[in-house]
Amino acid sequence: MTHTSLFEQAPKPDSNRPLLGSHVSMSGKEMMLGSVKEALSYDANTFMLYTGAPQNTRRKALDELRIQEAWDLMRQNNMQQFIVHAPYIINLANTLKAETYQLAVDFLAQELERTQKMGSKILILHPGSHVGAGTEAGIQSIADGLNEVLSIDSPVFVALETMAGKGSEIGKTFEELAAIYEKCKYPERLRVCFDTCHVHDSGYDIIHDLDGVLDKFDRILGKSQIAVFHINDSKNERGAAKDRHADIGDGCIGFDPLYRLVHHPDYPGIPKILETPWYPDPQTPGKTLPPYKKEIAWLKTGN
Ligand code: FE
Ligand code: FE
Ligand code: ZN
């Protein structure tokens, strides 16, 4: 075999490949090392994890997370970054129960530190739910909470997630997120996580007018503020305010807008993370399987 044919068989340089991964678990003995292995099993080049169960605040000590081994494996595989998601129970917008707000502030401060020690620069946060006190009071409370935990030189950015608007969720419009930025002492420490299911559920038409929606985002918050995309299909029609994720191509958004977003020329280096539901294993009743390997391949190539 000549050198030429060997060269032709070598994989093509990968600079056009999108940063594409999924939510992965962090549990058991392997912890973050297991998260990296799981991401690699999906052919992902980035990933997102929760530092423990998303519904509670029980967390393992940092020295049990196997961070060094995880990073060694990431480097061997050319993975340069990952994302952390704060648990859902953090609700900075609760002005009715002082202890809920205080738990949120304290836990958010710990999550920021954990995120930094684990080697990530992005912590995704659901802005919160005002639980009846009204959007304005909720927004002020979120900003107050962020002002307690962020400083001018915070090494980790808080990425506020765009929300579907179920219940009294704040962050269902780009304007609401901008209002949090405006009340925040260090808005340069904030970013946004743009979730396709949530944006669709809250009423934006990413099916027929993806670029119009992105332009609107750009006018209100600035497109440079998007630090992460969550790529999910939705079980509901636009504007349903439900927040139920569907597998890619299996929901009301469909494959095409999601594919276009993944390959959008304005966001080449921005991680795209799948949070699509596991599906029932046809072989084993009661067991579910992750769709991520299949979906990453599909979103990468379009077929
Ligand atoms: Fe989220
Ligand atoms: Fe999300
Ligand atoms: Zn969601």
Side-chain angles (χ1 to χ4, degrees):
M1 208 181 271
T2 67
H3 281 98
T4 318
S5 64
L6 264 180
F7 181 75
E8 280 164 359
Q9 280 173 21
K12 288 200 193 102
D14 228 6
S15 58
N16 288 328
R17 192 187 155 174
L19 274 173
L20 199 49
S22 71
H23 155 70
V24 295
S25 68
M26 182 170 77
S27 61
K29 289 234 172 306
E30 292 209 302
M31 296 305 285
M32 186 176 161
L33 177 61
S35 308
V36 178
K37 288 181 182 174
E38 185 182 342
L40 291 170
S41 79
Y42 304 145
D43 299 325
N45 52 8
T46 185
F47 59 92
M48 180 181 83
L49 54 77
Y50 290 82
T51 66
Q55 314 84 350
N56 67 46
T57 56
R58 282 191 299 278
R59 293 297 182 262
K60 276 196 184 173
L62 276 163
D63 60 6
E64 292 174 61
L65 301 185
R66 304 185 67 176
I67 297 168
Q68 192 55 52
E69 292 160 275
W71 268 100
D72 288 345
L73 186 58
M74 284 172 70
R75 285 196 194 93
Q76 283 164 30
N77 288 280
N78 237 327
M79 248 186 216
Q80 277 131 17
Q81 84 302 97
F82 73 101
I83 311 288
V84 178
H85 197 310
Y88 317 138
I89 46 142
I90 293 188
N91 186 8
L92 291 178
N94 193 328
T95 54
L96 303 181
K97 256 197 190 161
E99 66 269 29
T100 304
Y101 171 81
Q102 197 53 50
L103 173 88
V105 170
D106 295 344
F107 198 70
L108 184 58
Q110 290 173 34
E111 284 284 86
L112 281 165
E113 196 192 335
R114 250 190 303 268
T115 301
Q116 183 201 355
K117 299 253 165 77
M118 290 173 76
S120 173
K121 283 190 161 35
I122 312 262
L123 177 64
I124 296 172
L125 177 70
H126 293 183
S129 297
H130 66 68
V131 296
T135 303
E136 211 173 312
I139 286 172
Q140 185 60 55
S141 185
I142 294 163
D144 291 345
L146 291 168
N147 287 339
E148 288 195 52
V149 299
L150 291 174
S151 62
I152 188 81
D153 50 7
S154 296
V156 173
F157 297 98
V158 171
L160 303 169
E161 185 159 348
T162 58
M163 301 310 289
K166 72 171 183 303
S168 61
E169 271 173 356
I170 289 168
K172 61 187 178 297
T173 63
F174 304 151
E175 286 84 354
E176 288 180 7
L177 294 179
I180 299 170
Y181 269 69
E182 270 159 35
K183 291 184 159 42
C184 197
K185 257 190 282 175
Y186 306 109
E188 62 275 24
R189 302 286 98 197
L190 298 179
R191 290 293 184 273
V192 172
C193 168
F194 186 107
D195 186 309
T196 55
C197 168
H198 299 177
V199 166
H200 162 89
D201 279 26
S202 78
Y204 293 100
D205 190 356
I206 59 171
I207 301 172
H208 305 101
D209 192 22
L210 177 63
D211 278 303
V213 175
L214 291 171
D215 282 349
K216 189 163 202 188
F217 185 96
D218 188 36
R219 282 195 302 278
I220 295 168
L221 282 143
K223 66 180 168 192
S224 64
Q225 293 306 299
I226 299 180
V228 194
F229 287 97
H230 281 168
I231 306 293
N232 302 308
D233 212 325
S234 172
K235 290 208 158 103
N236 292 286
E237 295 295 339
R238 179 164 74 88
K242 290 276 205 226
D243 190 2
R244 295 199 57 218
H245 302 186
D247 291 323
I248 303 300
D250 205 26
C252 294
I253 299 173
F255 179 75
D256 286 357
L258 300 174
Y259 178 82
R260 268 188 283 131
L261 184 53
V262 166
H263 295 273
H264 199 291
D266 288 357
Y267 306 93
I270 305 301
K272 295 134 184 140
I273 302 289
L274 297 158
E275 302 174 294
T276 47
W278 289 38
Y279 63 93
D281 180 355
Q283 319 296 337
T284 320
K287 197 183 156 198
T288 55
L289 296 169
Y292 305 128
K293 184 171 182 166
K294 207 174 51 185
E295 290 182 342
I296 285 169
W298 194 19
L299 284 167
K300 224 191 288 179
T301 61
N303 51 51

